[in-house]
Amino acid sequence: MRVLLTGGAGFIGRHVHHQLLAEGHDVLVYDSLRPDVHRTRPEPSDDLIVGDIRNAEDLRRALPGIDTVIHLAAKVGLGVDLDDIDDYVSTNSLGTAVLLRELAHANLRHLVYASSMVVYGEGRYDCDRHGQVAPGPRRPEDLDAGQFDPPCPQCDEPLRPGLIAESAPLDPRNAYAASKLNGEHLAASWARETGSRVTALRFHNVYGPGMPRNTPYAGVAAIFRSALERGEPPRVYEDGGQRRDFIHVHDIATAVTTASGALPHQPPFTAYNVGTDTVRTIGDLATELAHAYQGATPIVTGQYRLGDVRHITASSAKLRAELSWKPTFDLRNGLADLLASDVGVPTNG
């Protein structure tokens, strides 16, 4: 199978590229090499097209002979402030729209779309009195008072967080989240209108070898690792109790390649959560990283970012059942793999 891999020179993209090649596929990488992601440019090669996902002319050069497209190219992260909002919309929403239009013209009919768990907003919550409920956005006055867990919107009592399924309502709460959900909607519309198939993978918190360094757009694992490398303690926002699902990038890569070979009888649009189904906290991650790197004890700051959500962990049962995928790393051996990669010692999952 010949695969076009957009964003293939990035953190996740490089691992997906490696996995595709290991499975015997022919891969063409398409990447803009944007400077807020790439501090150095890779050497020119026949299997790399440097192009912006919003540039239809560049895309047309890439599409002949392609069987499947894996769309990872995106501006990622929560963002620094609202000055980022137009870049998220332009890169993620408009970029996806241009790609879909060109896929239609090229008569390509299968897309794997890298989505994110951020499309849910907050995760699943249950109230002892009112059952499953959807809390509203957290209030600055509560966060300022150190009240980080959202209460029941009906009775104001504490809630029990749980695992969210793909059928849950979607409620993006920052510009990045909104742009990723918009990409899902655009792709679903394209699939219906062209008789195509979209497999949307809602990645959870990804870490592993090759994580970005020293950028405010990196994930929390990369930010903590960069602090430890500078000899500083990881700074943990809120009280460190935010529930997350941390998944090794190798497991993300195998989920992507598995989805790229999904059966043709799938419906026009299918979304899958991609996580380990193991709940850990951001405080756990900081502590595990500090231990692995023999670094300073994490500091819990009580600070917050209004666009963050408190708890978001998902069930990946659907992906396991329908595509026979499963993760191979837990957090401890995944962080050991990250540490080994930093010192040049390869390990196996």
Side-chain angles (χ1 to χ4, degrees):
M1 181 170 65
R2 182 159 172 78
V3 179
L4 178 66
L5 178 61
T6 77
F11 164 44
I12 295 174
R14 292 194 302 274
H15 288 267
V16 173
H17 187 190
H18 176 80
Q19 186 66 28
L20 286 166
L21 293 177
E23 294 176 10
H25 302 297
D26 184 15
V27 185
L28 178 61
V29 170
Y30 186 98
D31 202 296
S32 67
L33 304 179
R34 53 183 299 156
D36 59 348
V37 177
H38 300 272
R39 286 193 280 179
T40 60
R41 295 172 70 92
E43 293 294 322
S45 65
D46 291 339
D47 63 354
L48 169 64
I49 291 180
V50 178
D52 193 302
I53 198 67
R54 296 163 292 192
N55 188 313
E57 187 174 325
D58 286 343
L59 282 170
R60 289 174 198 143
R61 291 194 292 123
L63 292 175
I66 295 296
D67 300 303
T68 293
V69 176
I70 298 172
H71 181 32
L72 305 181
K75 179 180 175 69
V76 300
L78 179 61
V80 177
D81 54 40
L82 276 178
D83 286 343
D84 289 324
I85 191 169
D86 54 337
D87 196 6
Y88 279 112
V89 172
S90 178
T91 303
N92 299 351
S93 299
L94 177 60
T96 298
V98 173
L99 173 64
L100 293 169
R101 184 187 66 199
E102 296 309 313
L103 295 185
H105 291 328
N107 203 33
L108 283 164
R109 294 292 178 257
H110 185 216
L111 175 72
V112 178
Y113 174 69
S115 188
S116 171
M117 53 86 176
V118 297
V119 300
Y120 295 112
E122 289 285 351
R124 173 178 175 145
Y125 290 87
D126 290 280
C127 173
D128 289 337
R129 291 177 58 190
H130 298 103
Q132 188 172 340
V133 296
R138 294 189 294 170
R139 299 172 296 196
E141 57 269 29
D142 291 338
L143 299 171
D144 288 337
Q147 298 172 7
F148 300 119
D149 285 300
C152 175
Q154 299 181 50
C155 66
D156 218 35
E157 291 297 311
L159 297 172
R160 289 178 286 105
L163 300 182
I164 200 164
E166 290 86 352
S167 58
L170 305 178
D171 183 20
R173 299 196 175 185
N174 57 59
Y176 171 60
S179 69
K180 294 308 289 184
L181 180 55
N182 184 230
E184 285 196 18
H185 289 162
L186 291 169
S189 174
W190 166 81
R192 288 191 297 269
E193 292 184 27
T194 61
S196 303
R197 290 181 299 117
V198 175
T199 309
L201 300 177
R202 294 172 180 164
F203 299 157
H204 281 250
N205 295 77
V206 187
Y207 70 94
M211 286 192 307
R213 296 172 184 262
N214 302 314
T215 166
Y217 298 95
V220 66
I223 292 170
F224 289 164
R225 194 265 302 267
S226 293
L228 290 162
E229 289 176 338
R230 296 192 300 267
E232 301 170 2
R235 295 179 61 83
V236 181
Y237 279 18
E238 301 184 19
D239 60 0
Q242 306 95 306
R243 291 160 54 106
R244 297 293 189 269
D245 187 339
F246 300 102
I247 180 166
H248 192 280
V249 67
H250 170 76
D251 293 327
I252 288 287
T254 60
V256 171
T257 61
T258 299
S260 71
L263 298 176
H265 63 257
Q266 282 193 310
F269 180 88
T270 306
Y272 293 108
N273 293 328
V274 188
T276 67
D277 292 357
T278 301
V279 176
R280 302 297 296 264
T281 68
I282 289 179
D284 290 340
L285 174 68
T287 299
E288 294 273 11
L289 274 169
H291 176 76
Y293 281 84
Q294 298 181 345
T297 301
I299 295 173
V300 177
T301 69
Q303 295 171 275
Y304 65 86
R305 298 185 299 182
L306 198 56
D308 278 339
V309 297
R310 177 61 174 173
H311 301 303
I312 175 65
T313 53
S315 168
S316 300
K318 180 180 175 183
L319 179 60
R320 295 173 186 244
E322 294 187 4
L323 298 187
S324 301
W325 170 90
K326 64 179 180 179
T328 57
F329 285 92
D330 62 23
L331 184 60
R332 181 154 294 182
N333 64 26
L335 292 180
D337 181 68
L338 172 62
L339 178 61
S341 74
D342 280 349
V343 297
V345 180
T347 66
N348 295 318

